Amino acid sequence: MSQQGETPAAHEDDWWRRLYDETARDTGASDAGDSLDDRFDSASGTVGSGGHGGNSSATVHPRSGRPVAEGPVAPRTADVPQGPAVPRSSAVPQGQAAPHASAVPQGRTAPPASDATVTAPAQAQAPLPARGPEPDHEPAPAARPVIGHVGDRPPTYDAEPTTLPATVPQELDGLVADTVLDGARYGTYTLRAASVRGDSARFRGDPRRDALLTVRFGTERNALVLVAVATGARATGRAHLAAADACRWIGGAVGRSHSRLAEDMRAGRRDDLKSGLHRLTDRGYGKLRARAAELGLEPREYTADLRCLLLSADPDCRTRIFFGVGAGGLFRLRDGVWQDLEPEVPDTGGAGGVVGEAMAGFGAPPTGSGPRRGFGSRSESSPGGVRGSESGSEGLTTDPGTTAHPSSYTESLLPTPVEPFRFRASVARPGDTLLLCSTGLAEPLRGEPALARELAERWSDDLAPGLATYLADTQLRVKGYSDDRTSVGVWEA
């Protein structure tokens, strides 16, 4: 047969017309029996005589009993597509006649076999999802901050916490976390702050003696940012509570006077800031002494070193104010060189500390002195070292149109603490990094040049590190230094 619509040649369909020619004489009924048994016997006889052989050329049709031309059929594997086997309805079991074979009357020949081969349809496969273009290379995963060490040998203690501090149900309010991390960005600076329990305290299960407070008072350009760092007295059971009280009380005092403090910073009133902050600090230490009396402790058993930074949120104000009492560190990284900005305090001439009336601005460097030269990166005799400014205020002058008033702040003046009051006002430059820290970081920064060089290399970039990176940087370990570390970094844009 031909495709639909195709005009076949005359000789191709001649056998079909001769087979179904309407003018041909009817052959009439067959003399053979046409019962079911007769058909079965006829089929059985045909199969039994030659059905199992591959050379039989005639087979009786199971329904009509007429002979059917049949030849050996060899499968053509070349035309069968590779893939899973597909059942074919035309398959004939071995030893049985094909039920759909065309019947050809005896004496007539079957049409020539066509070269076309019918193949089994392949199973339909679901289309594969569209894939985007393959990247040239996989993006490298971000490096995780690693706590390393500097120096010849690693520290004795582990770098991670091991033992939690012991407590009782009645003192849950006094618990402090192992690590505190904070940050912010205002005006032209980015702030990073972290406080970490020391290696020795982690090993013994002691609480972190350092306390950290970061707070903002006011809104928009009038906002004032206070960062306070306190360290409780060593070998006292309530050192962490005293440090927390010192931060909380200085924060409250500054908060009540933040409007006037922010105005004085923008106007450059250095003398007013010095005297006012001295009064606020004395007020906080007076509360510490009162609290020690309530607990039945000596004042030295419930006290803390306190160091603070005041930062304005006004982008036009680059004045940075440091004040506090006690040991610690104040450093500045400028042009890749560390400068020690710790204010020098006069010699009191005695071992008992400061006595007498409070002195406004006590601890400020004398006129003409500046920050000590760089350390950790270049020698002090290096001609390329960065020199300090020409005055202790580093360009910050008193507003000539303002009259000083001794009671510009609302806090009352209390007796001065044992340690002298420290104050420094400086003007930040783009690219500077200001670092305020407790003794846990100040001592190794001054005593181990490798630590100073490493931090200078990491923080010389104008872009401030992320919080996790900053935390890992401040935990660079040095053998022999295992105290709590609290630090505040200010990156100037």
Side-chain angles (χ1 to χ4, degrees), residues 331-397:
F331 307 96
R332 179 173 60 198
L333 181 63
R334 175 174 289 178
D335 298 331
V337 178
W338 284 109
Q339 298 174 346
D340 194 339
L341 303 183
E342 185 70 15
E344 297 178 354
V345 294
D347 187 6
T348 59
V354 179
V355 294
E357 298 181 357
M359 299 175 60
F362 192 65
T367 303
S369 67
R372 289 180 290 279
R373 293 188 181 184
F375 65 94
S377 299
R378 302 177 186 177
S379 63
E380 294 187 1
S381 60
S382 172
V386 179
R387 298 179 179 272
S389 59
E390 295 182 357
S391 66
S393 62
E394 300 187 46
L396 184 65
T397 57

Side-chain angles (χ1 to χ4, degrees), residues 406-463:
S407 303
S408 59
Y409 298 93
T410 59
E411 306 295 338
S412 60
L413 183 64
L414 295 178
T416 185
V418 175
E419 291 286 342
F421 177 74
R422 303 169 189 264
F423 177 90
R424 190 178 194 93
S426 61
V427 178
R429 299 179 185 176
D432 285 354
T433 299
L434 190 64
L435 180 65
L436 173 71
C437 55
S438 63
T439 55
L441 182 59
E443 290 181 354
L445 198 59
R446 293 188 178 107
E448 180 55 57
L451 177 62
R453 287 193 298 268
E454 181 66 21
L455 290 180
E457 181 179 352
R458 296 189 181 195
W459 293 349
S460 293
D461 192 357
D462 294 340
L463 184 63

Side-chain angles (χ1 to χ4, degrees), residues 118-167:
V118 179
T119 59
Q123 290 183 345
Q125 297 181 355
L128 296 176
R131 300 180 61 183
E134 294 291 339
D136 296 338
H137 59 277
E138 293 293 336
R144 300 178 62 180
V146 178
I147 301 175
H149 73 276
V150 295
D152 299 334
R153 294 178 296 170
T156 305
Y157 300 104
D158 293 335
E160 300 296 338
T162 55
T163 306
L164 291 173
T167 188

Side-chain angles (χ1 to χ4, degrees), residues 65-96:
R66 296 177 180 177
V68 178
E70 181 179 344
V73 179
R76 299 179 61 181
T77 58
D79 297 328
V80 179
Q82 300 295 327
V86 180
R88 298 181 60 182
S89 59
S90 59
V92 181
Q94 186 176 2
Q96 298 185 10

Side-chain angles (χ1 to χ4, degrees), residues 108-274:
R108 298 185 181 181
T109 59
S114 173
D115 293 337
T117 303
V118 179
T119 59
Q123 290 183 345
Q125 297 181 355
L128 296 176
R131 300 180 61 183
E134 294 291 339
D136 296 338
H137 59 277
E138 293 293 336
R144 300 178 62 180
V146 178
I147 301 175
H149 73 276
V150 295
D152 299 334
R153 294 178 296 170
T156 305
Y157 300 104
D158 293 335
E160 300 296 338
T162 55
T163 306
L164 291 173
T167 188
V168 294
Q170 295 78 14
E171 298 180 356
L172 294 180
D173 293 341
L175 292 178
V176 292
D178 177 271
T179 303
V180 176
L181 186 63
D182 207 349
R185 182 171 64 248
Y186 290 100
T188 59
Y189 63 87
T190 301
L191 176 68
R192 295 288 181 262
S195 182
V196 183
R197 189 163 54 136
D199 293 343
S200 60
R202 286 175 168 179
F203 178 78
R204 296 191 305 265
D206 294 338
R208 174 169 50 89
R209 294 186 298 116
D210 282 3
L212 173 66
L213 174 68
T214 54
V215 63
R216 172 180 63 92
F217 301 105
T219 59
E220 299 179 351
R221 298 172 67 93
N222 296 324
L224 185 67
V225 176
L226 168 69
V227 186
V229 175
T231 302
R234 192 183 298 273
T236 58
R238 298 178 180 271
H240 59 292
L241 300 178
D245 286 343
C247 288
R248 183 167 57 252
W249 288 333
I250 192 63
V254 170
R256 289 186 289 270
S257 303
H258 75 274
S259 297
R260 180 60 186 271
L261 289 170
E263 180 182 350
D264 288 346
M265 288 181 63
R266 288 193 297 268
R269 303 184 185 116
R270 181 180 182 271
D271 292 340
D272 288 351
L273 288 168
K274 182 190 302 183

